[in-house]
Amino acid sequence: MSGGLQIERIQEQMRRLRLGRSIEQLPALLEAAAKRELAYSDFLEELLATEISGKHERNTSMRVAMAHFPFVKTLESFEFKFQPSIDAKVVRELATCRFIANAENVLLLGPPGVGKTHLAVALGVKACGEGYRTLFVSAASLLTMLTKAQNENRLEEKLKALTQPKLLVLDEIGYLPLDRAGANLLFQLIARRYERGSIIITSNQSLTGWGEVFGDAIIATAILDRLLHHSTTLNIKGESYRLKEKRKAGLLGRTPALTALDAPEEA
């Protein structure tokens, strides 16, 4: 009985120290330590490791929620065999998040449905796990946000806020053309983040077509100059995952693989 009261007192002290994971697992940890006849220092080490693991999981979950991903995907669930044009070694290197520490960028180019957003989100989730503040936003939403801020004389405030995350994931550049004003707003953001924070961009357009996307070749060149200075470009070839699933269901006949977009492997 006294042992149970002692555990309750210990748990209350742990609660005051905000050792949440350890509180939950203390009885099981004590029982396992007794069976294994652990030394006091070994038990304390395991207890602290349990708490650190719990804090890491909670902090990662919080950063993932704050990133506003449209869904949560992992690199482990990406079908590299289905997209052999992707060098898995390059992706594994990106997953270390060293590119974020170095304020470098990643461009994921390819036709619709080949897994660009999956990879972008998965790398964003890795960044959250490494402790980096991350934000996901579609190009259309970003331009709406910046235009609204400009109309309300809050553009400087909004640009400053968008510069804070160490990683910005900008999805679907090129799906809709931009007018000159929109292209200029995007340039301002990319210029602010240049060599200060990383950007992952997904686009269905080749880099040579960005002049048409932005409606201004000069602005497109200025944007690419900053994005490509320190960057890795993955050019994804192949068939759409969504078409593959429809074909499996017998809803489509066989179609030829989509061709690659012209972009360098590294920049």
Side-chain angles (χ1 to χ4, degrees):
M1 188 69 167
S2 60
L5 291 174
Q6 184 184 46
I7 290 176
E8 289 180 9
R9 290 196 301 271
I10 293 172
Q11 287 176 319
E12 177 57 31
Q13 291 169 335
M14 296 172 92
R15 190 171 291 108
R16 291 182 180 183
L17 292 171
R18 298 182 180 180
L19 304 179
R21 174 65 67 87
S22 302
I23 294 171
E24 299 170 0
Q25 299 193 14
L26 181 61
L29 288 171
L30 286 169
E31 183 179 351
K35 288 180 179 178
R36 294 158 57 197
E37 299 182 348
L38 286 182
Y40 296 130
S41 58
D42 292 334
F43 170 71
L44 180 58
E45 184 178 11
E46 287 197 3
L47 182 70
L48 293 175
T50 297
E51 187 60 35
I52 289 171
S53 175
K55 285 186 180 295
H56 179 266
E57 289 176 13
R58 290 194 298 274
N59 290 338
T60 297
S61 295
M62 180 181 67
R63 282 189 288 268
V64 167
M66 292 176 64
H68 300 297
F69 295 119
F71 45 75
V72 175
K73 295 284 188 179
T74 65
L75 291 176
E76 290 73 21
S77 65
F78 189 84
E79 295 183 52
F80 285 97
K81 290 182 180 179
F82 185 70
Q83 300 295 7
S85 64
I86 299 175
D87 189 339
K89 290 183 294 184
V90 173
V91 176
R92 284 195 294 270
E93 168 59 30
L94 292 173
T96 66
C97 294
R98 280 191 281 264
F99 77 96
I100 303 175
N102 297 328
E104 298 172 351
N105 304 313
V106 178
L107 281 74
L108 304 174
L109 308 176
V114 293
K116 302 184 299 296
T117 301
H118 182 147
L119 282 177
V121 168
L123 290 172
V125 170
K126 283 285 188 183
C128 291
E130 291 297 319
Y132 292 110
R133 183 178 169 189
T134 301
L135 177 65
F136 179 102
V137 64
S138 70
S141 296
L142 176 67
L143 266 297
T144 298
M145 188 188 309
L146 291 176
T147 301
K148 185 174 185 290
Q150 184 177 50
N151 292 339
E152 296 174 351
N153 295 316
R154 296 185 300 102
L155 181 58
E156 180 65 26
E157 175 188 340
K158 180 57 68 175
L159 288 172
K160 185 176 180 180
L162 290 169
T163 306
Q164 296 305 310
K166 291 298 292 181
L167 175 62
L168 177 66
V169 182
L170 184 51
D171 196 35
E172 298 184 337
I173 284 282
Y175 281 81
L176 295 173
L178 304 179
D179 58 21
R180 186 180 178 85
N184 183 59
L185 288 171
L186 182 60
F187 168 75
Q188 289 187 62
L189 175 60
I190 289 174
R192 289 288 186 97
R193 293 188 60 87
Y194 177 61
E195 295 189 331
R196 296 177 60 187
S198 297
I199 303 176
I200 295 178
I201 283 181
T202 72
S203 178
N204 67 330
Q205 297 290 331
S206 67
L207 298 183
T208 56
W210 278 33
E212 293 182 14
V213 170
F214 293 106
D216 188 305
I218 295 176
I219 293 180
T221 299
I223 289 173
L224 285 173
D225 179 62
R226 286 157 178 79
L227 287 176
L228 296 175
H229 186 206
H230 308 290
S231 71
T232 297
T233 300
L234 289 178
N235 189 15
I236 307 174
K237 310 171 186 178
E239 186 180 32
S240 163
Y241 283 105
R242 291 182 285 272
L243 292 181
K244 182 190 77 166
E245 293 304 315
K246 287 186 177 181
R247 185 166 296 108
K248 276 185 177 179
L251 300 176
L252 289 174
R254 183 70 186 170
T255 58
L258 296 169
T259 57
L261 300 177
D262 53 315
E265 284 301 316
E266 295 276 345

